[in-house]
Amino acid sequence: MKSSVEDRLDQFSAFHKAISDNKGDESEVAQSLIVASYLDHQVRLILEGFVLDRKKIKDALFEGPTAPMGSFSSRILAAYSLGLITKEEHESLTAIRQIRNEFAHKITTSFEVEKMTPFFDKLAWAAGRDKIGELDRSEVLFLASIRLAMAFVNRADHVAVERRTTKEWPDHPIDADMDPDFDPLSLIY
């Protein structure tokens, strides 16, 4: 039986092979879909490692059309707002999601259309700003996705160390009429 580390490394290897095989102008749709799908799954694993470890809760949060964390967009926002990903990771994931969405709405688009420029500008960090003129956008997406994927390979395990648990909150009487000696200021801690 494989360990979870071996399983994650196998998934990363499969991802790396898939995007390596789909680099280039003729495969921009495939590259954007593969990258977004893999990173979406990684963000979901990070979030699942943080929330209460209960199947019903996870299903309610992540499964179905009305799930609050059912979309890539909502997962990115939730992970960032909970401090599970950095600002740069948030911006990069958002750019990758936007690139994917451009192809979803117009499959004949290209990485080179002007509308894609701000999205790729958000990914420039991965290549190094001094290399921007030397790399095509397919290479920039490839480098950004590999760097993000490597950052996320073990993030779910690290996040799980701080997994949420049900907390017992102090119980205070609400109704002052129940106790004539009740001091409302005692509710402030």
Side-chain angles (χ1 to χ4, degrees):
M1 186 163 122
K2 283 186 189 179
S3 72
S4 63
V5 172
E6 290 173 317
D7 186 46
R8 283 193 308 275
L9 291 175
D10 286 350
Q11 289 175 15
F12 176 81
S13 294
F15 166 68
H16 185 271
K17 181 178 178 357
I19 61 170
S20 296
D21 292 348
N22 285 290
K23 271 195 324 187
D25 295 337
E26 67 282 347
S27 302
E28 290 176 351
V29 174
Q31 186 183 6
S32 63
L33 292 175
I34 291 165
V35 166
S37 176
Y38 180 80
L39 292 173
D40 180 16
H41 181 68
Q42 295 307 305
V43 174
R44 178 180 172 155
L45 292 175
I46 291 166
L47 287 163
E48 285 180 347
F50 190 69
V51 300
L52 293 175
D53 194 16
R54 296 198 179 107
K55 184 175 177 2
K56 280 179 99 172
I57 291 172
K58 288 180 181 179
D59 288 349
L61 286 173
F62 298 104
E63 299 297 329
T66 59
M69 292 186 215
S71 70
F72 192 18
S73 177
S74 62
R75 290 194 247 275
I76 294 168
L77 180 60
Y80 181 57
S81 67
L82 293 169
L84 306 177
I85 61 174
T86 67
K87 181 180 181 199
E88 188 172 74
E89 291 166 346
H90 171 264
E91 291 174 354
S92 298
L93 289 167
T94 299
I96 289 168
R97 181 189 60 78
Q98 291 168 318
I99 291 166
R100 182 215 48 199
N101 286 356
E102 286 301 314
F103 283 103
H105 295 290
K106 188 176 181 188
I107 201 161
T108 58
T109 195
S110 162
F111 287 164
E112 300 308 318
V113 298
E114 187 63 33
K115 192 171 186 177
M116 295 283 199
T117 299
F119 309 144
F120 280 95
D121 286 349
K122 293 287 185 187
L123 302 177
W125 64 269
R129 300 220 180 265
D130 58 323
K131 301 281 187 209
I132 291 305
E134 299 173 28
L135 301 174
D136 66 31
R137 288 181 172 176
S138 179
E139 292 169 316
V140 170
L141 180 61
F142 175 83
L143 289 172
S145 64
I146 289 296
R147 289 188 67 183
L148 286 166
M150 289 174 61
F152 294 158
V153 163
N154 291 318
R155 183 80 54 91
D157 287 341
H158 294 291
V159 163
V161 172
E162 297 183 31
R163 180 183 298 278
R164 301 295 84 192
T165 58
T166 303
K167 184 173 181 163
E168 296 298 323
W169 296 96
D171 192 18
H172 295 291
I174 303 292
D175 189 1
D177 293 335
M178 290 175 26
D179 180 3
D181 296 326
F182 174 69
D183 178 7
L185 294 177
S186 70
L187 294 176
I188 302 171
Y189 15 133

